[in-house]
């Protein structure tokens, strides 16, 4: 069983930055593709970006965050990060990290989420 715990959310003004962290416990973190999702009120959860295993050489980003958000991973710390720069009010959402432990297209472990609020 893998537990994922996000941290780093908060309130920030538009144009500001935040860094989210997601610490994993259990399992073999370096073998997991990791992803960040977000869900705004009244909207469906969407994939923000993902990072490959084991070294994170390949990343994917949604067009809405490309050039502003960066995902990195530290396998020694079993942690994945989401650096968010130039934040916009439309980035306001609950952010979740997820792990794909089976190497497929499904995300089988999820964190509890952390709130990010961007004020205009």
């Amino acid at each position: 069983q893998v537990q994922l715990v996000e941290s780093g959310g908060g309130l920030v003004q538009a144009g500001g930055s935040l860094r989210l962290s997601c610490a994993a416990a259990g399992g073999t973190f370096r073998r997991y593709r990791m992803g960040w999702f977000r869900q705004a009120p009244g909207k469906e959860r969407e994939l923000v970006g993902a990072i490959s295993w084991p070294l994170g050489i390949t990343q994917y980003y949604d067009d809405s965050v490309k050039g502003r958000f960066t995902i990195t991973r530290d396998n020694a710390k079993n942690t994945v990060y989401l650096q968010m720069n130039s934040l916009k009010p439309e980035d306001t959402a609950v952010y979740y990290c997820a792990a794909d432990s089976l190497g497929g297209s499904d995300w089988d472990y999820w964190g509890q989420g952390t709130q990010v609020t961007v004020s205009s």
Side-chain angles (χ1 to χ4, degrees):
Q1 191 73 11
V2 177
Q3 292 82 42
L4 303 175
V5 179
E6 302 97 336
S7 61
L11 174 64
V12 63
Q13 289 188 333
S17 298
L18 280 176
R19 188 178 80 156
L20 306 184
S21 300
C22 172
T28 309
F29 176 78
R30 67 182 181 276
R31 293 184 179 181
Y32 302 158
R33 180 172 62 118
M34 299 298 297
W36 283 97
F37 291 75
R38 66 186 180 186
Q39 187 167 21
K43 295 187 177 180
E44 293 186 355
R45 186 163 54 190
E46 62 178 0
L47 176 64
V48 173
I51 188 166
S52 62
W53 66 278
L55 300 179
I57 293 175
T58 303
Q59 297 105 46
Y60 159 82
Y61 298 98
D62 185 79
D63 285 345
S64 64
V65 306
K66 202 171 293 183
R68 300 188 297 122
F69 290 11
T70 303
I71 300 175
T72 57
R73 65 188 299 158
D74 185 337
N75 291 335
K77 296 182 178 180
N78 289 348
T79 300
V80 62
Y81 303 96
L82 178 66
Q83 178 67 45
M84 305 185 293
N85 299 328
S86 301
L87 282 161
K88 304 175 181 180
E90 51 263 44
D91 294 318
T92 295
V94 177
Y95 284 71
Y96 300 89
C97 71
D100 165 20
S101 69
L102 302 177
S105 60
D106 293 331
W107 301 92
D108 46 336
Y109 295 105
W110 292 85
Q112 82 289 349
T114 186
Q115 176 71 47
V116 172
T117 303
V118 184
S119 63
S120 57

